[in-house]
Amino acid sequence: MVVLVTGAAGQLGQSIQAIAKNYPEITFFFATSTEIDITNKENITDFFLKVKPDYCINAAAYTAVDKAESEPEKAYSINVTGAQYLAEVCKDFDTVLLHISTDFVFDGNKDTPYTEEDQPNPTGVYGQTKLEGEQVIQQIAEKYYIIRTSWVYSEFGNNFMKTMLRLASERDTLNVVNDQIGTPTYAVDLAKALLQIITSAKENYGIYNFSNEGVCSWFDFAKKIFEVNGVTIELNPIPTSAYPTPAKRPKYSVLDKSKITTVFKIEANSWEKALLTVKI
Ligand SMILES: NC(=O)c1ccc[n+]([C@@H]2O[C@H](COP(=O)([O-])OP(=O)(O)OC[C@H]3O[C@@H](n4cnc5c(N)ncnc54)[C@H](OP(=O)(O)O)[C@@H]3O)[C@@H](O)[C@H]2O)c1
């Protein structure tokens, strides 16, 4: 079985690479943005002609949530046009596409976990482009999985955990928002879930939610990150209003995981437990 991973240098791409050796039945090809630029259809097609993938995991994306507000064309080109080209090439090659999406497709006005059937209503450019990326894939591809996830972190790339640890090494006190509620996702757990879907060989295509289990605020997450890593710092909870950002974030974005658990028997770790398994 041949699995191609685009965006291989990102945190999800690196997380898949970190566990690839545990799947001897899979021949992996990891393509960074210089090897496959997903906004270049010819580039994608040439790579597919060489490796003929059975599955393509699209870990490539424009992920700069705030910057997207000032460069919407770039975000659109990667998250929508890139998704469209991948879906078209996957269809031509009869390749199953696994595409990653986000809790930011929702406005966060609910107070119970979002299911795959809930109505998206993004509040910013990033979420809007991720939603439109989902929609083009659904229109074009027949064999696709769209996995929505949230608050992704890992030992790889840039993420909240690494920012917190860096800031703690530079400052004595930190303020973190306590009124945005969601669930962290360890990128290696997400990588395992994607490979569990692939190795199941099932054909239950569609949209699925995946994150770790449990609920917390960014403040709770930061507190636990410091506790697990033995960092002492004065940490203060603040409201979102005290930390304005160019992009509005959902207030509540917990994802309901019952569909992925029922269909693929994927059971996620609690977010606290997952944090203990990160190898820094
Ligand atoms: N991070 C989160 O908190 C979060 C939350 C929910 C959902 N997600 C979704 O999860 C997925 C993986 O996120 P991540 O955190 O691993 O992102 P990431 O670390 O930012 O990695 C994204 C990768 O995409 C690559 N890329 C950008 N433009 C490209 C292009 N035109 N062609 C090919 N590759 C390109 C980047 O390449 P360079 O190395 O050249 O920059 C980077 O390596 C994304 O779909 C994201 O939307 C993330």
Side-chain angles (χ1 to χ4, degrees), residues 145 147 193-194 196-208 258-267:
Y145 293 104
I147 315 295
L194 296 171
Q196 196 166 328
I197 290 174
I198 290 174
T199 52
S200 78
K202 287 190 173 173
E203 297 186 0
N204 296 64
Y205 304 120
I207 299 184
Y208 290 85
S258 36
K259 184 177 173 191
I260 203 165
T261 304
T262 307
V263 177
F264 292 104
K265 310 281 173 270
I266 291 171
E267 302 272 4

Side-chain angles (χ1 to χ4, degrees), residues 9-12 33 36-38 60-61 63 100-101 126 130 149 152:
Q11 54 167 341
L12 175 59
S33 58
I36 296 182
D37 172 358
I38 63 165
T63 58
I100 318 306
S101 192
Y126 167 74
K130 291 297 290 183
T149 188
V152 179

Side-chain angles (χ1 to χ4, degrees), residues 83-85 87-88 91 135-142:
Q84 176 196 325
Y85 290 161
E88 287 170 354
K91 191 177 180 188
Q135 290 165 341
V136 287
I137 289 170
Q138 289 174 288
Q139 281 155 18
I140 298 162
E142 280 146 21

Side-chain angles (χ1 to χ4, degrees), residues 214-258:
V215 175
C216 67
S217 70
W218 289 109
F219 171 81
D220 301 327
F221 188 24
K223 197 167 161 213
K224 195 76 187 173
I225 288 167
F226 294 139
E227 189 186 307
V228 165
N229 289 283
V231 175
T232 312
I233 186 162
E234 186 193 322
L235 187 65
N236 305 308
I238 55 164
T240 301
S241 56
Y243 187 74
T245 51
K248 189 171 178 268
R249 267 82 175 156
K251 210 172 155 49
Y252 177 93
S253 69
V254 177
L255 299 171
D256 182 313
K257 271 81 65 186
S258 36

